[in-house]
Amino acid sequence: MALFARACGPWPLWSRSVLAVGIRLQSTRLQENGTRPGTGIEEEEFRVLNLKQTKSQRLARRKAFRPEVPPPRSQQMATDQDWGAVWPGPRSFNPSAVPLPIRQGYVTKRNQMSPGKFANAELMKIPNFLHLTPPVIKRQCEALKQFCTPWPKGLETEEKMKAHFPLTCVTSDYCHALPTIRNPLSRIVTVQVELSALQLDRHARDKLLRLVGERYNPETDLLTIVTDRCPLKKQNYDYAIYLLTALYHESNTVEEWEATKCEADMEYFDFEKSRSKRNAEATLNWGRKEGDSGWQQVPQAYADAVSRLFNEGENEYNIAKYKEQTIALLGLAEEKETK
């Protein structure tokens, strides 16, 4: 075509217009037939993009499918049903399974009832004991009887149990609604024992009382040891038993320097080693020597009165008791009666 155009020269204007009309006619025929001439391939229809929404383009909304909700289970329950089968174990509160008109919540207005059980978050937050009804507890106890042993003989009363088991251990467990099941207060262990059950002599008892200090209650004769240093309850219990064992053995230990103590070195007034005993014996046995026939010992009541006066201090009761025992020791009361 290029060689032909060069050879023939430029086309006249009327030929150009005829060529343009021929091309337009050919394109119009292609659009009407939808095929290319000579190929036989059908062309797709040119789709127009319409950005403006019309009524014909609106889609029909789908209808939401709502299943039929059955009535609450509590309305279909029988009055004589087995509640242990409905609520067998601990679980969160379920309003449809509890046939009780339970209400809980804060009331903002006056004369307004508390929120009901349905859609009540307060009832679901707290722990419930609906699985521990009396019939269920009785049934569980009957099932556990096969694993129990008979009650030991000789422990029928509290006195017998204290005689065989003088040690008492007190611990605490807490039930609360927190993210953790551990409570810091549950680690505290309290161990109590009667001091008379330890079978201590006078020296060991005095030494133990000085070691424990205010942990001993003379009115109830109880020694109380409280441990809370360790993070676990078992560790605190072992530590309390260790302290009790160490106190017992240390109290029964007699050091060498304790045998050389005199009356001025004693932590308490010992009547057996005091000058008061020697003076009282000299008064009772005037003109006699120790070991002679008729040698009299100091009455125990007088020894207790003197010891209480020195150890506990002067008060109205101790002074009156000391006066009474002194008059009885000297025999002045008998002479007054004879007169």
Side-chain angles (χ1 to χ4, degrees), residues 2 5 9 44 66 109 129-131 136 140 155 175-176 188 201 221 230 261 271 312 319-320 324 326 331:
E44 296 181 358
R66 297 180 179 179
K109 297 181 180 180
F129 296 92
L130 295 175
H131 61 287
V136 174
Q140 294 177 358
L155 300 177
C175 180
H176 50 79
I188 302 176
D201 56 4
D221 194 32
C230 301
K261 290 188 345 180
F271 183 79
E312 298 180 4
I319 293 177
E324 177 185 349
T326 303

Side-chain angles (χ1 to χ4, degrees), residues 97-329:
V98 180
L100 300 173
I102 302 176
R103 292 180 175 274
Q104 183 177 355
Y106 180 73
V107 178
T108 57
K109 297 181 180 180
R110 190 176 181 180
N111 299 330
Q112 183 182 7
M113 298 182 64
S114 300
K117 62 180 180 179
F118 291 96
N120 194 334
E122 298 296 331
L123 289 173
M124 291 186 291
K125 287 191 295 184
I126 62 173
N128 60 78
F129 296 92
L130 295 175
H131 61 287
L132 295 178
T133 55
V136 174
I137 295 176
K138 184 177 180 180
R139 187 190 312 168
Q140 294 177 358
C141 294
E142 292 294 335
L144 292 175
K145 280 186 178 180
Q146 57 180 335
F147 304 104
C148 299
T149 57
W151 187 260
K153 296 181 179 181
L155 300 177
E156 290 80 9
T157 60
E158 291 289 338
E159 292 75 13
K160 293 182 179 180
M161 286 191 289
K162 287 183 179 180
H164 292 281
F165 302 98
L167 187 67
T168 303
C169 181
V170 181
T171 57
S172 302
D173 294 321
Y174 297 87
C175 180
H176 50 79
L178 291 179
T180 175
I181 61 175
R182 298 187 181 275
N183 193 299
L185 299 177
S186 62
R187 75 184 193 280
I188 302 176
V189 177
T190 303
V191 175
Q192 294 180 340
V193 62
E194 292 185 1
L195 207 61
S196 58
L198 298 180
Q199 299 179 0
L200 302 172
D201 56 4
R202 186 173 182 179
H203 167 267
R205 180 184 176 88
D206 177 73
K207 193 173 183 179
L208 180 64
L209 293 179
R210 297 182 184 278
L211 289 174
V212 298
E214 298 179 354
R215 297 176 180 87
Y216 174 72
N217 187 0
E219 298 180 358
T220 59
D221 194 32
L222 281 178
L223 172 62
T224 305
I225 298 177
V226 181
T227 54
D228 57 353
R229 294 186 177 183
C230 301
L232 299 181
K233 183 187 302 181
K234 181 64 170 59
Q235 296 173 344
N236 286 315
Y237 173 77
D238 295 340
Y239 181 56
I241 297 301
Y242 162 76
L243 290 178
L244 184 61
T245 306
L247 287 172
Y248 177 79
H249 290 288
E250 184 64 26
S251 301
N252 286 281
T253 302
V254 179
E255 302 292 343
E256 297 180 358
W257 55 268
E258 294 185 22
T260 61
K261 290 188 345 180
C262 59
E263 183 180 357
D265 299 330
M266 299 297 294
E267 297 85 359
Y268 61 94
F269 179 79
D270 190 1
F271 183 79
E272 297 297 331
K273 300 180 180 180
S274 65
R275 188 179 302 177
S276 299
K277 180 182 179 182
R278 296 192 295 268
N279 295 337
E281 288 179 350
T283 304
L284 289 175
N285 303 284
W286 187 262
R288 300 188 186 94
K289 295 182 180 179
E290 187 175 358
D292 295 346
S293 58
W295 181 268
Q296 298 181 11
Q297 299 291 337
V298 179
Q300 186 64 32
Y302 176 78
D304 294 340
V306 176
S307 300
R308 191 179 298 110
L309 181 63
F310 279 95
N311 293 327
E312 298 180 4
E314 296 182 1
N315 52 49
E316 185 177 355
Y317 175 79
N318 291 339
I319 293 177
K321 200 70 176 177
Y322 175 70
K323 176 183 178 181
E324 177 185 349
Q325 296 300 326
T326 303
I327 293 175
L329 178 68

